[in-house]
Amino acid sequence: MASQLYAICFNATRPSDLARFWSGVLGWEPADGPDDGVAILPPGAAGFRIRFLPGQEPKTGQNRAHFDLTSASPEEQRQTVARALELGGKHIDVGQRPEEGHVVLADPDGNEFCVIEAGNEFLADTGFIGALACDGTREVGCFWSEALRWPLVWDQDQETAIQSPGGGTKITWGGPPVAPKTGPNRLYFELETPAGADWEAEVGRLVALGATRPDTGEDDGVRVLMLDPDGNEFRVRRPR
């Protein structure tokens, strides 16, 4: 059985503060549990949690991944932007054109995100977090489709997107050119191996699909570090 997407993780200079920001923007509740860092949970049983972990790596450029938040109306878009600004977000310029309808913001730790205008058909069947939009190749989109066993819902002109069979947030990759990686990603996936599954066999399956285990051998006894075909870090939790 394939691993499940357990969490989207943020390495943060102030995890608790960043958790409060995203909890306020999304309306998600803090999670109780033994994990390190801080987490917030989606309102329903489906979907992934968001975890905020201590990290002091300086931000040297745009993140390779960011959230796209959806809007049901122009008023809802304005409300989301206003709420984010009140909570400590700010407007930023990443080269967006004036005629584009989305609003580009950064959270208090400098992580980019977009508030998408109403009427976006591609994100119509998702949720408030419409997409985790990633900088990446077609190869990595196909890798994650196989790794999570989520179908490709978009595969055109080197751009790919996957979505859980149960719906919800899409994960997208914009195709080349992919900016060079300058250090550890601030945002990364954490997978969870189902209870009773053969953890070593699952890690072997991911390697066969194109993942690698870096020479650092990082393994805290709970999760192990791996890299996807584009060199992005992700971690695989051992069964609990």
Side-chain angles (χ1 to χ4, degrees), residues 46-106:
F48 51 83
R49 64 187 61 202
I50 303 176
R51 299 183 65 217
F52 305 90
L53 304 167
Q56 299 301 323
E57 296 86 358
K59 194 168 188 298
T60 57
Q62 290 184 32
N63 290 338
R64 273 194 166 186
H66 68 268
F67 286 138
D68 284 341
L69 308 184
T70 61
S71 307
S73 67
E75 178 58 26
E76 185 172 282
Q77 183 186 30
R78 288 191 289 269
Q79 290 173 353
T80 299
V81 171
R83 185 164 65 251
L85 296 175
E86 289 169 1
L87 291 166
K90 62 180 180 180
H91 288 278
I92 58 170
D93 183 359
V94 296
Q96 67 269 31
R97 297 186 299 273
E99 65 270 19
E100 293 178 307
H102 63 277
V103 178
V104 183
L105 302 172

Side-chain angles (χ1 to χ4, degrees), residues 22 24-28 43 67-72 76-77 79-81 83 114-116 123 126-131 168-169:
W22 282 105
V25 170
L26 299 175
W28 291 19
F67 286 138
D68 284 341
L69 308 184
T70 61
S71 307
E76 185 172 282
Q77 183 186 30
Q79 290 173 353
T80 299
V81 171
R83 185 164 65 251
C114 295
V115 184
I116 306 300
L123 301 179
T126 56
F128 189 23
I129 302 180
T169 301

Side-chain angles (χ1 to χ4, degrees), residues 22-221:
W22 282 105
S23 176
V25 170
L26 299 175
W28 291 19
E29 293 297 324
D32 295 324
D35 282 333
D36 53 351
V38 187
I40 58 175
L41 291 176
F48 51 83
R49 64 187 61 202
I50 303 176
R51 299 183 65 217
F52 305 90
L53 304 167
Q56 299 301 323
E57 296 86 358
K59 194 168 188 298
T60 57
Q62 290 184 32
N63 290 338
R64 273 194 166 186
H66 68 268
F67 286 138
D68 284 341
L69 308 184
T70 61
S71 307
S73 67
E75 178 58 26
E76 185 172 282
Q77 183 186 30
R78 288 191 289 269
Q79 290 173 353
T80 299
V81 171
R83 185 164 65 251
L85 296 175
E86 289 169 1
L87 291 166
K90 62 180 180 180
H91 288 278
I92 58 170
D93 183 359
V94 296
Q96 67 269 31
R97 297 186 299 273
E99 65 270 19
E100 293 178 307
H102 63 277
V103 178
V104 183
L105 302 172
D107 68 22
D109 216 26
N111 302 300
E112 305 86 2
F113 66 100
C114 295
V115 184
I116 306 300
E117 67 275 18
N120 185 296
E121 294 183 1
F122 181 70
L123 301 179
D125 59 345
T126 56
F128 189 23
I129 302 180
L132 179 69
C134 305
D135 190 15
T137 62
R138 181 181 183 276
E139 179 187 9
V140 85
C142 293
F143 166 82
W144 281 109
S145 176
E146 293 290 337
L148 296 174
R149 293 184 177 153
W150 288 13
L152 280 167
V153 295
W154 183 265
D155 185 7
Q156 294 185 27
D157 301 323
Q158 300 296 309
E159 298 176 355
T160 50
I162 63 175
Q163 187 179 31
S164 166
T169 301
K170 293 177 176 176
I171 306 176
T172 71
W173 292 269
V178 178
K181 196 166 182 293
T182 58
N185 290 337
R186 278 185 157 198
L187 276 70
Y188 61 88
F189 300 154
E190 185 170 287
L191 310 187
E192 181 176 55
T193 308
D198 185 331
W199 183 84
E200 290 289 354
E202 173 61 5
V203 169
R205 184 184 74 91
L206 295 170
V207 169
L209 290 173
T212 56
R213 294 183 67 171
D215 294 338
T216 57
E218 182 181 324
D219 185 346
D220 62 5

